Structure formats: C-alpha cells, structure tokens
Amino acid sequence: MVKICCIGAGYVGGPTMAVIALKCPKILVTVVDISISRITAWNSDQLPIYEPGLDEVVKQCRGKNLFFSTDVEKHVSEADIIFVSVNTPTKTRGLGAGKAPELTYWESAARMIANVSTSNKIVVEKSTVPVKTAEAVERILTFNSSNISYQILSNPEFLAEGTAIQDLLNPDRVLIGGRETPDGQKAVQALKDVYSHWVPEDRIITTNLWSAELSKLAANAFLAQRISSVNAMSALCEATGANVSQVSNAVGKDTRIGPKFLNASVGFGGSCFQKDILNLVYICECNGLTEVAKYWEQVIKVNDYQKNRFVNRVVSSMFNTVSGKKIAILGFAFKKDTGDTRETPAIDVCRGLLGDKAWLSIYDPQVAEDQIKKDLSMNKFDWDHPVHLQPSNTAAVNQVSIVGDAYEATKDAHGICILTEWDEFKTLDFQKIFDNMKKPAFVFDGRNIVNVKKLREIGFIVYSIGKPLDPWLKDTPAVTRDK
Ligand code: UDX
Ligand code: ADP
C-alpha cells in the first residue's frame, strides 16, 4: 500500500488529501500538523475550515484510508510520498521584508524530513513557494542524510476556496514539475499515477521544476491582474457614467478574453494573490528586472486604491464624517462560501472606517467573532504565522460589535457596507431594513449584488461599484486621501 503523508492540515492540505483518499482507496493518506487544535478539529464533527462538500468527503474516508495526526515524525518516516503544505508568510523584517516569503516553516519541515527518514522519499511542494525553493530543499535533504534518495517535485495547487472540492474533483489541470533525470521522471510518474485515479491523462501536465513553481505564481498574478483591470475600469465608469457590468459583459464576450473573473469588487483578498504577486515582484527585483517588477506591483497598488476609494466614498457621501455613526458591515470573509478572512478587503475597509471613528456592527454567516477581532487588531502579514501571535492593537476593536444576523447589524445604522457576496444578502428584506435605519439611509455595495433600482425606490441612497452614481453622490466626489 502506497503511503502518503501531508505536512500541514490547512486550507490546501486538508481538502486535497481528503480528495486523494476518496479517489484512491488503496492509498493510505495521513495529514499531520503541529497544531493540536487543528488536528483535533479535523478528527471531530466540526472541521477547522468551512468548504462546501468537504464534510461528506471527510466522513466517507476518515478512519478508513484518511487519518489526521499530530505525530508528524512517525508518519513522515513511514511515508513514500510527502506533500509539504505549510505556511509561507511574507517576511515582515530583514532582507526582502514586505515582499519575500518567509521560508522558516518550509526549512524546518525539510530538516525534520531529513532527520526522521530511513527510506527513499518523494517530497512534493504543495504550498506556493518562490522559484528555486525545490533546489534549496533538495540541498537541505541531501546534506543532512546519507544513503537515502530524495526526489523533489513541484505540484502546485490551483483550487479556489469555496469551490475547493469541485476544483479538486474536476481540475482544469494538474501540474507536476520534476528533475529531468531518470530518477526525477520516475518520481513524476509515481505522482502522476496517484492523480490518474480520477484526472484524465491529458489534464496532467508535466514540466521541469522551475516552470511548475513559476506557473503557479504566474497563474495567480494573471487572475489578480484581471480583477485589478476591471476594478480600474470601475473607477472610470463612475467618473463617466458607464456601467462596469455592461462593460465587463461586452469585453468578456470576446472569446480571447472570456467572461470569467471580470466582476468589479471592493478588491481581491485571500491568502494567495497578494502574497504570490509580492513574491513575483521580489524575484523580478532580485533578477534586475525592475520594469517587470513595477508592472506586477501595480496590480496590488490598484487593489489597495480600490479599497481606499471605497472608504472615501462612504465617508464623503455621509457628509464627510462617519464619526460616531453606526455602519453595518455585511460580510467579512474574502469571498462567499468560505469562513476564511486572510487578506480580506473587509479588514482594510473596516480599519479605514474605524480610523474615521465609525461604530461598526459586523455580520458574517461563517466568520467567528474572535477571528474578526483578531484580524482587526493584527499587523499586516502576521496572520500567516502558525505560532499564535498576540494582537498588537486591541484598542482598534473597541468600536466594533459582532452580531448574529443582517437585521440586527443594520438596526439604527446610518449606512450599510456589503463586503462579501453571500447569497443570503441578495434576498434580504430591504424595506424592513430601511424602516429600521437612520435617515438618510445609505447602502454601499462592494460586490454589486443588490438591485440598485429597487433599493433607490425604497428610499436608500445607493453606491454600487462602477455603476452610474446616485445623484446624491455626484455632488460628493471621492477624493483620494492619504493612507
Ligand atoms: C485563488 C486562485 O483562484 C486559485 O487558483 C489559487 O489556487 C489560490 O488563489 P482563492 O483566493 O481561493 O483562489 O479565490 P478566488 O476565487 O480566486 O478569489 C480571490 C479574490 O478575488 C476574492 O476576494 C474574490 O472575491 C475576488 N474576485 C474574484 C473579484 O473581486 N472579482 C472576480 O471577478 C473574481
Ligand atoms: P494553506 O492555505 O496554504 O493550506 P494554512 O495556513 O491553512 O495554509 O495551513 C498551513 C498549516 O501548516 C498550518 O495548519 C500550520 O500549523 C502547519 N505547519 C506549519 N509548519 C509546520 C510544520 N513544521 N510541521 C507541521 N505542520 C506545520
């Protein structure tokens, strides 16, 4: 029986291994993590992450060929194939701070593998890492053990949260990069054999190691660039009276461009896009490619501009001050169908409003109160450290309350900001909400999900990203403020 061990039971490791176990009943899959609470949750009825369809897959396999354990060394030493899916936070100090990824967790995982291995291993990079990490890992492994052969593969994961199970069951492609030596190719084939249980042959692409590593960064950069492009257009639409949804629709009909990923929003979030682009920028700079670095950096700058612009709209519309006003925040997760808040635009928007002394009443169907409070008090990039970090600015959350539904959040509020496109927000009783709000009542839709016309008929003043402006807002141009 082939044994697979995955180091890191997070958003990538957990669902990916669950699907491998489901599709390969003859492979024994164990997911290990240093976090006892995470592993306990994976072994309980309350999984540590919310992902549609995940519960069913885990229930089918757990205890049969899928196990979750904190005994990292035992399972690593017994495995034939080791996936590494640990954190790669952006460095906050030292060389490359604010851009380069911190590879401490990767390095310690590699050293641990070298210490405990007594048989040949295939080590698979699953978490996104900078190009040439495989080479560094290979060195750590070979310099720290003798008589054991290690083959390093890069097998980046392309799943998106909220649709992870579907993405894993039916991937556009599986990418496997390996050394172009006979042993390297044998390892590639071994991993290919795992995926061939359910992925058609023509969707499994094999490349060299560096191409696989770079492809992951490139794919995320291209996707994020599309969003920044449409968000940049949304600003121009507001200035000119065009409608960004109509523009996206017309542009997306070109089969060379395609219709997906063209929804204007308050900004992209998630653990990958910003981190991977910063990583790409850093690699370009290290290679002396200043213009290329600047090009990709602009994708992040436009994203920051979009969040900033949204806050400015809110404040300038409400007589240039939100001080002491109650603002309802609907949605905190970085997208619908996930409880994940990593790099969610809601953090920056809430901070901007708190900076203007607003009182926030936040509701999200999947994000817990302590997570929101932690997010609002943490420094940039601190979220990606497995060691529990103390929040640095607890004063920030004194003006925040977390509530159990949208009606409570909006009661007596002056304005509403919709920051996640949860389906339940589309069917809210806005007449009831309007009746219970202070007047004039504002809605700022950061996800373009409300029926603007209907809400205006009720009496709301509505701002919807990239849509023709409410007459009220036309007189209050959003000025870009310093951050
Ligand atoms: C992304 C990639 O899609 C995935 O392939 C990779 O493996 C990890 O990073 P994820 O971050 O989980 O996945 O979600 P994604 O659906 O890509 O959304 C990212 C952000 O972009 C979200 O905040 C989302 O709301 C935003 N977005 C997406 C838009 O603002 N507009 C769009 O049209 C699409
Ligand atoms: P991703 O979204 O890439 O899956 P997560 O942060 O959700 O990232 O998961 C990474 C996991 O890796 C965390 O649960 C963390 O505790 C775990 N981890 C980090 N370093 C190690 C290590 N050396 N050994 C085992 N687990 C680790």
Side-chain angles (χ1 to χ4, degrees):
M1 199 176 194
V2 174
K3 287 186 181 169
I4 288 181
C5 175
C6 176
I7 308 177
Y11 284 89
V12 173
T16 312
M17 292 305 123
V19 168
I20 291 182
L22 179 76
K23 291 294 179 182
C24 312
K26 294 217 168 109
I27 295 181
L28 180 66
V29 182
T30 309
V31 191
V32 296
D33 203 295
I34 41 173
S35 161
I36 296 169
S37 60
R38 260 210 167 162
I39 291 298
T40 308
W42 278 109
N43 282 319
S44 75
D45 286 339
Q46 194 68 48
L47 300 184
I49 61 177
Y50 170 72
E51 191 61 58
L54 178 64
D55 284 28
E56 290 74 26
V57 178
V58 171
K59 264 187 204 137
Q60 272 193 58
C61 311
R62 198 172 52 194
K64 292 184 190 136
N65 67 329
L66 176 66
F67 296 88
F68 296 91
S69 169
T70 48
D71 198 344
V72 181
E73 298 189 353
K74 172 178 183 284
H75 294 289
V76 165
S77 78
E78 289 174 358
D80 305 294
I81 303 177
I82 302 162
F83 285 84
V84 185
S85 188
V86 300
N87 321 57
T88 48
T90 304
K91 283 181 86 169
T92 49
R93 51 182 81 162
L95 190 66
K99 281 184 192 144
E102 174 81 76
L103 289 175
T104 322
Y105 303 106
W106 246 99
E107 189 173 332
S108 83
R111 287 184 190 279
M112 183 269 299
I113 296 172
N115 283 342
V116 304
S117 294
T118 51
S119 58
N120 296 346
K121 308 282 182 210
I122 296 174
V123 178
V124 186
E125 288 179 340
K126 202 64 179 154
S127 37
T128 314
V129 285
V131 183
K132 301 263 170 182
T133 299
E135 194 171 69
V137 170
E138 201 172 52
R139 284 197 189 143
I140 293 173
L141 291 172
T142 42
F143 277 92
N144 284 288
S145 40
S146 49
N147 299 326
I148 291 176
S149 144
Y150 294 100
Q151 282 304 322
I152 319 295
L153 300 178
S154 167
N155 172 221
E157 185 46 65
F158 294 103
L159 68 81
E161 286 172 35
T163 53
I165 299 300
Q166 279 318 311
D167 294 344
L168 287 163
L169 289 173
N170 190 20
D172 287 346
R173 79 300 208 185
V174 166
L175 178 57
I176 305 174
R179 284 259 182 228
E180 286 153 317
T181 58
D183 283 346
Q185 290 306 300
K186 238 171 93 184
V188 169
Q189 189 57 48
L191 188 55
K192 223 175 148 179
D193 290 344
V194 173
Y195 285 106
S196 308
H197 281 81
W198 79 98
V199 181
E201 179 94 7
D202 61 349
R203 292 210 200 154
I204 306 179
I205 309 171
T206 57
T207 64
N208 71 30
L209 268 178
W210 330 134
S211 298
E213 288 178 333
L214 185 57
S215 299
K216 170 69 186 199
L217 295 182
N220 275 343
F222 278 44
L223 289 169
Q225 181 214 43
R226 269 175 89 91
I227 304 169
S228 279
S229 297
V230 78
N231 282 345
M233 282 300 157
S234 75
L236 188 56
C237 287
E238 286 166 31
T240 57
N243 180 327
V244 77
S245 300
Q246 293 174 352
V247 173
S248 294
N249 183 44
V251 169
K253 289 283 186 221
D254 186 324
T255 51
R256 293 168 301 177
I257 297 171
K260 293 183 186 166
F261 250 71
L262 286 178
N263 293 322
S265 67
V266 58
F268 61 73
S271 67
C272 288
F273 283 175
Q274 173 166 290
K275 191 166 78 175
D276 289 356
I277 294 177
L278 288 172
N279 189 345
L280 192 62
V281 168
Y282 184 66
I283 295 169
C284 292
E285 284 173 354
C286 291
N287 284 285
L289 303 171
T290 315
E291 292 307 316
V292 185
K294 277 192 197 154
Y295 173 76
W296 288 112
E297 202 163 21
Q298 195 60 26
V299 172
I300 294 182
K301 285 192 179 158
V302 168
N303 198 46
D304 288 339
Y305 166 73
Q306 188 76 346
K307 293 181 270 188
N308 197 25
R309 208 166 74 74
F310 187 86
V311 174
N312 294 343
R313 272 288 179 215
V314 177
V315 179
S316 63
S317 312
M318 300 173 83
F319 316 104
N320 249 340
T321 177
V322 288
S323 179
K325 291 177 183 165
K326 176 175 171 180
I327 310 277
I329 303 291
L330 300 188
F332 199 83
F334 81 98
K335 62 188 274 196
K336 74 168 181 176
D337 292 340
T338 177
D340 193 356
T341 59
R342 295 177 293 177
E343 294 293 348
T344 176
I347 295 177
D348 288 342
V349 171
C350 288
R351 282 203 183 133
L353 295 172
L354 288 169
D356 258 298
K357 301 209 174 79
W359 287 86
L360 304 183
S361 184
I362 306 177
Y363 165 65
D364 186 287
Q366 283 298 332
V367 185
E369 171 162 2
D370 53 345
Q371 182 64 50
I372 295 177
K373 294 203 162 158
K374 205 159 111 185
D375 287 333
L376 291 177
S377 0
M378 269 200 181
N379 283 329
K380 208 170 163 63
F381 303 128
D382 275 354
W383 52 268
D384 205 5
H385 290 267
V387 203
H388 181 72
L389 285 160
Q390 289 306 314
S392 52
N393 178 17
T394 42
V397 294
N398 289 344
Q399 283 169 236
V400 174
S401 63
I402 319 295
V403 299
D405 73 67
Y407 297 102
E408 196 185 339
T410 51
K411 192 170 182 327
D412 293 324
H414 294 255
I416 301 173
C417 296
I418 301 174
L419 301 183
T420 313
E421 72 282 22
W422 286 103
D423 287 339
E424 67 175 71
F425 298 155
K426 295 176 191 163
T427 52
L428 289 172
D429 180 349
F430 277 100
Q431 182 65 58
K432 180 173 154 191
I433 288 177
F434 180 80
D435 293 342
N436 288 322
M437 281 177 69
K438 295 260 190 315
K439 308 294 175 324
F442 296 83
V443 170
F444 303 92
D445 183 1
R447 295 288 182 170
N448 284 349
I449 57 168
V450 301
N451 182 331
V452 176
K453 189 165 168 271
K454 230 166 132 184
L455 261 60
R456 286 193 184 138
E457 277 163 16
I458 292 175
F460 282 105
I461 295 160
V462 187
Y463 166 72
S464 198
I465 285 190
K467 300 286 176 71
L469 291 180
D470 201 295
W472 178 290
L473 301 168
K474 274 190 189 143
D475 305 329
T476 55
V479 267
T480 307
R481 298 173 308 163
D482 292 332
K483 274 203 224 145

